[in-house]
């Protein structure tokens, strides 16, 4: 059975169709790419999967069960966690604390209750701290656990977001342009880290990336969106030579 299924997922905002009849399947262990030019509907797909928006028509299923009506909290509790295109960390908390909060979110349904219980659950916190250090190591942030997250360079903040998402122990991790704003070497390093997360932690990953070349090297299967529609779907070799994809990316830096 597939882990995640988009079945003709569609959402309209007034007259604008942001995602139009998009269908694809993710199997457990997939490292799957979602690409397309700016405005294609990629982030909106994540918003649909994570319950921020409900589809106007079509369905999204996780382990065979429809996510229709599920709130973002509920979707997270089911095992789907995401990072955002624009970084959303707790800027005044330390690097380690940001990841510990991710772990707390697994136990408490809301951030408010997570923060409220923080000082009272020392034992749990110690355990979460150890786990958090492990995630920091995976994301190569183990040397800066006590830095204020707002003081980190941008590329490290992006990696910290992934560490925090991992602390929720998701089965499915959605990464929205995790390498945005990084230099080429940082991007390459991050992509290798993403692959290791899939290989070593067994987490299924759906990654949005604007840079087609980067995704081609990383993902085994790719869906391409353009103007809200799915225009191609398949392994990188097929995508690379697809005339519709080439045309959608014309004029874009590839
Ligand atoms: N809440 C919203 N209200 C109106 N339009 C939206 C909303 N969210 C997204 N859109 C529109 O949907 C389209 C796709 O946006 P988005 O999914 O962010 O694209 P991408 O992530 O591929 O760059 C854009 O035209 C965007 O303006
Ligand atoms: Mg986007």
């Amino acid at each position: 059975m597939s882990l995640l299924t988009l079945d003709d997922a569609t959402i309209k905002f007034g007259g604008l169709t942001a995602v139009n009849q998009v269908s694809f399947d993710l199997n457990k262990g997939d490292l799957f790419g979602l690409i397309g030019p700016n405005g294609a509907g990629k982030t909106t797909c994540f918003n649909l999967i994570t319950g921020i928006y409900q589809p106007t028509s079509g369905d999204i299923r996780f382990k065979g069960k429809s996510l229709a009506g599920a709130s973002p909290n509920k979707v997270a509790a089911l095992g789907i966690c995401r990072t955002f295109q624009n970084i959303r960390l707790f800027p005044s908390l330390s690097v380690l604390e940001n990841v510990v909060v991710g772990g707390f979110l697994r136990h408490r349904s809301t951030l408010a209750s997570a923060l409220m219980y923080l000082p009272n659950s020392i034992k749990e916190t110690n355990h979460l701290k150890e786990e958090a250090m492990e995630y920091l190591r995976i994301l190569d942030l183990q040397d800066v656990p006590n830095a204020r997250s707002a003081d980190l360079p941008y590329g490290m903040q992006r990696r910290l977001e992934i560490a925090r998402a991992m602390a929720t122990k998701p089965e499915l991790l959605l990464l929205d342009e995790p390498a945005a704003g990084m230099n080429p070497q940082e991007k390459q390093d991050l992509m290798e880290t993403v692959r290791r997360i899939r290989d070593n932690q067994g987490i299924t990953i759906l990654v949005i990336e604007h840079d087609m070349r980067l995704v081609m090297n990383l993902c085994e299967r790719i869906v391409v969106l353009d103007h809200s529609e799915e225009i191609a779907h398949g392994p990188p070799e097929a995508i690379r030579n697809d005339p519709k994809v080439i045309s959608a990316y014309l004029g874009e830096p590839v």
Side-chain angles (χ1 to χ4, degrees):
M1 192 211 309
S2 65
L3 188 66
L4 180 78
T5 303
L6 271 71
D7 185 0
D8 274 344
T10 300
I11 185 163
K12 297 182 184 192
F13 298 108
L16 179 122
T17 305
V19 171
N20 195 13
Q21 295 188 305
V22 168
S23 298
F24 59 86
D25 271 299
L26 257 73
N27 293 318
K28 197 167 165 45
D30 273 348
L31 178 42
F32 198 101
L34 181 58
I35 69 172
N38 270 326
K42 305 180 297 295
T43 297
T44 307
C45 277
F46 274 19
N47 289 336
L48 285 170
I49 296 166
T50 54
I52 291 177
Y53 300 138
Q54 292 294 322
T56 312
S57 62
D59 194 22
I60 299 175
R61 291 185 289 279
F62 186 59
K63 297 183 187 170
K65 285 204 183 120
S66 174
L67 294 175
S71 66
N73 275 341
K74 166 87 177 156
V75 173
L78 288 172
I80 303 178
C81 191
R82 74 181 288 183
T83 62
F84 289 88
Q85 192 169 349
N86 305 313
I87 292 175
R88 296 191 188 180
L89 292 167
F90 302 109
S92 59
L93 295 188
S94 74
V95 167
L96 186 69
E97 284 164 345
N98 263 281
V99 182
V100 168
V101 167
F104 258 98
L105 284 174
R106 193 172 75 245
H107 300 287
R108 324 264 171 214
S109 61
T110 65
L111 179 62
S113 80
L115 292 174
M116 199 166 73
Y117 281 95
L118 206 53
N120 297 330
S121 310
I122 300 300
K123 201 167 160 211
E124 193 176 15
T125 309
N126 281 340
H127 172 64
L128 290 176
K129 271 187 187 163
E130 280 165 30
E131 276 189 1
M133 275 310 295
E134 190 52 40
Y135 297 122
L136 291 183
R137 269 188 284 277
I138 292 169
L139 274 303
D140 200 18
L141 293 166
Q142 68 279 6
D143 295 337
V144 290
N146 300 318
R148 228 170 62 102
S149 69
D151 296 337
L152 292 183
Y154 184 76
M156 286 176 129
Q157 292 194 19
R158 294 221 82 110
R159 297 210 304 273
L160 178 53
E161 273 225 302
I162 299 176
R164 189 180 60 185
M166 285 180 71
T168 69
K169 301 210 171 159
E171 273 184 78
L172 173 62
L173 182 58
L174 310 177
L175 303 175
D176 195 345
E177 300 205 29
M182 291 185 175
N183 69 39
Q185 185 59 50
E186 286 175 328
K187 282 188 180 190
Q188 192 54 43
D189 291 348
L190 181 74
M191 290 301 155
E192 278 160 26
T193 304
V194 168
R195 196 197 305 271
R196 275 204 309 275
I197 290 171
R198 192 278 306 265
D199 291 348
N200 300 343
Q201 315 283 318
I203 300 175
T204 306
I205 297 179
L206 175 58
V207 58
I208 293 178
E209 176 49 57
H210 189 73
D211 184 329
M212 186 153 71
R213 217 162 22 184
L214 218 60
V215 163
M216 297 277 174
N217 289 329
L218 180 71
C219 298
E220 290 114 16
R221 282 198 302 144
I222 293 168
V223 160
V224 189
L225 299 184
D226 186 31
H227 296 295
S228 82
E229 312 231 346
E230 189 179 320
I231 57 164
H233 183 169
E237 318 75 80
I239 300 292
R240 189 176 283 121
N241 300 312
D242 190 306
K244 282 199 232 150
V245 177
I246 294 166
S247 150
Y249 270 90
L250 273 184
E252 294 260 338
V254 178

